[in-house]
């Protein structure tokens, strides 16, 4: 047991050292800034796509579900803007303005790709236009997935009312139903992270080698989201320091923490891959029985 703990500690140290040497914390700042800029163009695209598909309420329902997973202070900052953008369903969005929104939103995907290529030590060899098409495609697929998930979000309360009509369910059952919904949201988040790690870098890695870091990022992000509101309430003084920009700063800080955890998951996978490669190149010496042929 001590040997396993020691090996796990060395693995964490290796991942942390790699983050420092590759300027991952600085890159996380770039991801946070780019991600904050990319959210609102993505909302514009989502509103246009939802209106085009006749599911205008779906985009809003998807975002409401996402906000439930965020810290309260971050959700309060983003919620008014999200409602404002998604409520203004202008048909003119499906024009050059939509293409511009797609281009800007794809910059957030580009930042994640750079972080993954750096963590996995992958040299990008694809032409820039193919990379950009891939980023725009990821935004488009993400928008469609959001709208498909919105069906589940909208049907959730309907299903609950149906269950209440069929069975005499109590408050404990309501809590269990909410737990199932949040569990599904967490699984969707895990699947999304796996997809990013799998298809964004310049070289695809096996799902088995990607899963440990993705699980670590998901667990740490859920913990960070839970503790962030407590930190802001007890220790943070953003309003006193930044005035009316306090909410924006809080959101940017949370994006930065999320970016650090995203990179850490990739670096953890990379450390595991380095350890497996080292074991393959330097196998342990054969035991006495193997040497004796027994």
């Amino acid at each position: 047991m001590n040997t396993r703990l020691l090996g796990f500690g060395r693995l964490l140290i290796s991942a942390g050292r790699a983050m420092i040497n590759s300027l991952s914390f600085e890159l996380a700042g770039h991801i946070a800034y780019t991600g904050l800029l990319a959210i609102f163009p993505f909302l514009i695209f989502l509103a246009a796509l939802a209106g085009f598909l006749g599911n205008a309420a779906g985009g809003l329902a998807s975002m409401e579900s996402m906000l439930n997973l965020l810290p309260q202070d971050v959700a309060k900052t983003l919620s008014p803007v999200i409602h404002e953008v998604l409520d203004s369903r202008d048909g003119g969005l499906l024009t050059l303005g939509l293409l511009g929104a797609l281009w800007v939103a794809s910059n957030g995907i580009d930042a994640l790709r750079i972080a993954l290529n750096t963590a996995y030590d992958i040299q990008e060899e694809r032409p820039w236009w193919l990379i950009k098409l891939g980023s725009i495609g990821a935004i488009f697929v993400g928008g469609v997935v959001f709208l498909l998930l919105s069906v589940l979000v909208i049907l959730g309360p309907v299903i609950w009312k149906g269950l209440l009509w069929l069975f005499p369910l109590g408050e404990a059952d309501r809590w269990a139903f909410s737990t199932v919904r949040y569990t599904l949201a967490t699984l969707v988040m895990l699947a999304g992270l796996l997809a990013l790690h799998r298809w964004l870098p310049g070289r695809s890695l096996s799902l088995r080698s990607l899963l440990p870091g993705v699980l670590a990022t998901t667990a740490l992000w859920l913990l960070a989201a839970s503790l962030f509101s407590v930190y802001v309430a007890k220790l943070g003084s953003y309003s006193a320091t930044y005035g009316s920009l306090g909410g924006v700063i809080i959101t940017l800080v949370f994006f930065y923490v999320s970016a650090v955890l995203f990179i850490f998951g990739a670096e953890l996978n990379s450390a595991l891959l380095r350890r497996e490669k080292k074991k393959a190149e330097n196998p342990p010496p054969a035991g006495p029985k193997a040497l004796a042929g027994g």
Side-chain angles (χ1 to χ4, degrees):
M1 184 65 179
N2 292 334
T3 304
R4 288 185 178 181
L5 286 176
L6 184 60
F8 181 69
R10 288 175 177 171
L11 195 67
L12 293 180
I13 292 174
S14 176
R17 185 183 294 117
M19 290 185 70
I20 295 173
N21 293 337
S22 60
L23 302 178
S24 295
F25 294 98
E26 291 79 2
L27 183 56
H30 171 65
I31 293 174
Y33 174 73
T34 309
L36 187 60
L37 290 181
I39 273 188
F40 303 110
F42 176 72
L43 290 176
I44 294 173
F45 166 73
L46 188 63
L49 183 63
F52 180 75
L53 297 176
N55 187 22
L60 185 60
S62 297
M63 285 300 169
E64 287 288 351
S65 178
M66 183 196 75
L67 288 174
N68 289 334
L69 294 176
L70 296 176
Q72 186 177 5
D73 298 274
V74 177
K76 283 182 179 179
T77 301
L78 294 178
S79 182
V81 184
I82 288 175
H83 282 81
E84 182 179 350
V85 172
L86 291 181
D87 285 341
S88 60
R89 297 180 292 274
D90 185 2
L93 289 175
L94 289 172
T95 56
L96 288 177
L98 176 58
L99 295 178
L102 274 172
W103 183 275
V104 175
S106 68
N107 291 335
I109 301 296
D110 292 334
L112 296 178
R113 176 183 290 104
I114 292 171
L116 291 174
N117 279 335
T118 302
Y120 292 124
D121 196 22
I122 295 175
Q123 202 71 24
E124 188 62 73
E125 298 179 352
R126 293 171 293 181
W128 70 270
W129 57 268
L130 184 60
I131 295 174
K132 200 62 180 179
L133 282 178
S135 298
I136 294 175
I139 293 294
F140 186 84
V141 171
V144 173
V145 170
F146 254 105
L147 294 179
L148 291 177
L149 291 175
S150 69
V151 176
L152 297 177
V153 175
I154 294 172
L155 288 180
V158 177
I159 295 173
W160 175 251
K161 288 180 180 179
L163 291 175
L164 286 179
W165 184 73
L166 292 173
F167 307 102
L169 301 178
E171 191 61 32
D173 300 297
R174 180 186 292 272
W175 181 86
F177 186 74
S178 298
T179 301
V180 170
R181 290 182 67 191
Y182 281 110
T183 301
L184 288 176
T186 302
L187 291 176
V188 169
M189 175 184 172
L190 195 147
L193 286 174
L194 267 176
L196 291 175
H197 281 254
R198 172 78 170 177
W199 287 299
L200 280 188
R203 174 169 52 86
S204 295
L205 300 171
S206 67
L207 292 177
R208 185 187 68 84
S209 63
L210 298 176
L211 190 58
V214 169
L215 287 173
T217 296
T218 303
L220 291 174
W221 188 88
L222 292 173
L223 178 63
S226 302
L227 296 178
F228 195 77
S229 294
V230 177
Y231 166 74
V232 172
K234 300 295 183 181
L235 301 176
S237 57
Y238 294 94
S239 297
T241 305
Y242 296 101
S244 60
L245 291 176
V248 178
I249 299 301
I250 290 173
T251 304
L252 194 58
V253 169
F254 182 73
F255 274 41
Y256 176 77
V257 172
S258 301
V260 169
L261 296 179
F262 178 81
I263 296 175
F264 173 76
E267 290 290 0
L268 184 62
N269 286 335
S270 185
L272 282 168
L273 290 172
R274 288 194 299 270
R275 189 173 71 175
E276 291 179 2
K277 182 179 179 181
K278 186 176 180 180
K279 285 183 178 180
E281 293 176 349
N282 303 289
K289 290 185 178 180
L291 292 175

